[in-house]
Amino acid sequence: MAMKLVVAIVQNEDADELIEALTAAHYGATRLASTGGFLRQGNTTIIVGVEEAAVQSVLNIITQHSHSRRQPVTNPFPDPAITATTTPTRKNANPLEAVIAQATGAASPEVQTGRATVFVLNLDRYERV
Ligand code: 2BA
C-alpha cells in the first residue's frame, strides 16, 4: 500500500483540538511550530504519515477541526530601520499597513484565512526503526 504524507498548516487556535482528534482516531501526528509568510504570525504545521486509503479520513478530520477566521494584517514586512527610528504607535509603526488600509478602504485591514492549507505528498519510505 502506498504511503502518503499529509502536511496541514492550521491556525494555532485549532492545533490542540486537531491533534487530539487525529490521535483519538489513531493517526500518528507531529506538530511543528511555523510562521506564515504573508502575515508573519505563528501558525502550526501538522504532519501525518498514513496509508493512501486513510488520506480522505485525515482530510475529513482536518476539515472538521479547523476554522476560517478574519486576521488583522498588522506588520507583514517589518522594517527594523523604520521601527528603530519612529515612535512605535499604532499609527506609524508600519507604513505598509496604511498603504493596505488605503487600498482596501478598511481602517484595520484584515484577510480571511482558509481553514487549513493541506498538501498530500507521496512517500518513498516509511519506517519505524
Ligand atoms: P500566511 O502566509 O501568513 O497567510 C495568511 C492568510 O493571508 C492566508 O490564509 C490568506 O488569506 C492571506 N494571504 C496570504 N497571502 C496573501 C497575499 N499575497 N495577498 C493577500 N492575502 C494573502 P491561507 O491562504 O488560509 O493561508 C494560511 C497559511 O498557510 C499561510 O499563512 C501560510 O503559512 C500557509 N500557506 C498558504 N498557502 C501556501 C502555499 N502555497 N505554500 C506554503 N504554505 C502556504
Side-chain angles (χ1 to χ4, degrees):
M1 171 65 79
M3 297 294 298
K4 301 281 179 180
L5 184 68
V6 180
V7 179
I9 302 162
V10 300
Q11 291 168 62
N12 288 342
E13 294 90 328
D14 294 327
D16 284 346
E17 191 186 306
L18 176 53
I19 285 278
E20 252 175 61
L22 288 167
T23 306
H26 304 289
Y27 294 118
T30 295
R31 171 182 180 156
L32 309 165
S34 46
T35 304
F38 184 70
L39 293 178
R40 301 206 179 179
Q41 288 171 12
N43 54 25
T44 298
T45 299
I46 293 173
I47 58 173
V48 189
V50 286
E51 292 191 349
E52 188 169 18
V55 167
Q56 191 55 52
S57 161
V58 168
L59 294 182
N60 291 347
I61 293 173
I62 293 168
T63 305
Q64 267 170 26
H65 296 277
S66 56
H67 304 88
S68 170
R69 293 187 182 84
R70 294 194 72 76
Q71 297 276 16
V73 179
T74 48
N75 195 9
F77 304 106
D79 182 338
I82 292 170
T83 309
T85 56
T86 59
T87 312
T89 63
R90 169 96 184 130
K91 199 175 169 198
N92 68 5
N94 176 19
L96 189 63
E97 189 177 344
V99 174
I100 294 169
Q102 199 175 15
T104 60
S108 304
E110 292 180 322
V111 290
Q112 183 82 37
T113 68
R115 286 166 175 265
T117 300
V118 183
F119 306 96
V120 180
L121 290 74
N122 293 326
L123 275 185
D124 286 343
R125 286 173 70 156
Y126 172 86
E127 294 192 23
R128 294 181 73 220
V129 293

